[in-house]
Amino acid sequence: MNFTNKERTLLEDQKNHEKICILKYSNYADLATDPQLKNIFKQLGQTEQQHYNTIEQLLNGQMPQMQQSSSGQQSGSQTQGSGQGGSQQSGSQNQAQSMQYQSSFIPQNQSSGYNTSDKDLCTDLLMTEKYVSGAYDTAIFEFRDPQVRNILNHIQKEEQQHGETLYKYMASKGMYQAQ
């Protein structure tokens, strides 16, 4: 693939965003107190890893194969490229695990039936997902290749599903009051 300088820069930015998402989900899964929330963070982190791998493949000149999810819910739909095995993913996961994200908010007081730090973790990740989704929206409009635009659109939809998953969890626990 022959990307313009701007397209390549946008992909590098998205790759960095995905790396931060992977780190946050990995570290926040360790910090969360609710087992359900730990599981949500782990699942969403795995999808972020797939997004990272997809962007990496694009930057390496490979066209990833997209697998559509069968439902509108977060289902771990995957992006895979030909010739890419688990070694890249496991290497990135090891890198994510070795990097530590320092959380500045870990109060342990209980309030309204949920752990305050779990609410803070969810709030931070929801803000992150909103930002990342918006960044994909901007990037999509900058790409000439319709196939790449479709790949980025697919990832953006999954980012929106992540936000919905976080919102639904927060609403079910009384952490988010829609006004």
Side-chain angles (χ1 to χ4, degrees), residues 55-80:
I55 300 299
E56 183 76 10
Q57 290 170 353
L58 287 170
L59 286 167
N60 290 332
Q62 301 168 345
M63 188 60 71
Q65 299 298 313
M66 304 302 295
Q67 295 180 355
Q68 299 294 326
S69 60
S70 59
S71 69
Q73 297 178 339
Q74 173 59 31
S75 63
S77 59
Q78 299 180 6
T79 55
Q80 298 178 351

Side-chain angles (χ1 to χ4, degrees), residues 4-29:
T4 65
N5 288 338
K6 186 170 190 174
E7 289 171 333
R8 183 162 292 283
T9 299
L10 287 167
L11 286 175
E12 290 289 349
D13 285 348
Q14 291 309 120
K15 181 179 158 185
N16 288 330
H17 296 158
E18 294 297 348
K19 182 178 180 180
I20 290 169
C21 287
I22 293 163
L23 291 172
K24 281 187 174 189
Y25 278 117
S26 173
N27 287 297
Y28 287 10

Side-chain angles (χ1 to χ4, degrees), residues 82-179:
S82 58
Q84 291 292 327
S87 61
Q88 179 183 3
Q89 183 174 354
S90 63
S92 297
Q93 285 174 337
N94 289 340
Q95 179 183 16
Q97 290 169 355
S98 68
M99 297 177 72
Q100 293 299 311
Y101 180 82
Q102 298 298 318
S103 174
S104 62
F105 49 82
I106 312 178
Q108 295 297 318
N109 58 328
Q110 296 290 334
S111 160
S112 304
Y114 60 83
N115 186 290
T116 305
S117 66
D118 282 355
K119 179 182 178 183
D120 291 340
L121 297 174
C122 288
T123 300
D124 182 58
L125 283 168
L126 185 58
M127 289 188 311
T128 300
E129 291 293 357
K130 288 176 182 179
Y131 174 80
V132 171
S133 177
Y136 274 108
D137 184 52
T138 299
I140 289 165
F141 284 100
E142 297 293 338
F143 279 81
R144 300 166 296 159
D145 186 316
Q147 199 171 3
V148 174
R149 289 170 67 122
N150 286 336
I151 289 169
L152 297 177
N153 187 45
H154 175 85
I155 293 173
Q156 183 195 32
K157 286 180 183 178
E158 288 189 342
E159 297 295 353
Q160 291 172 2
Q161 289 170 347
H162 293 181
E164 181 182 12
T165 299
L166 293 168
Y167 166 78
K168 285 180 177 179
Y169 172 84
M170 292 175 76
S172 75
K173 302 291 183 179
M175 297 176 180
Y176 196 107
Q177 306 296 323
Q179 309 226 1

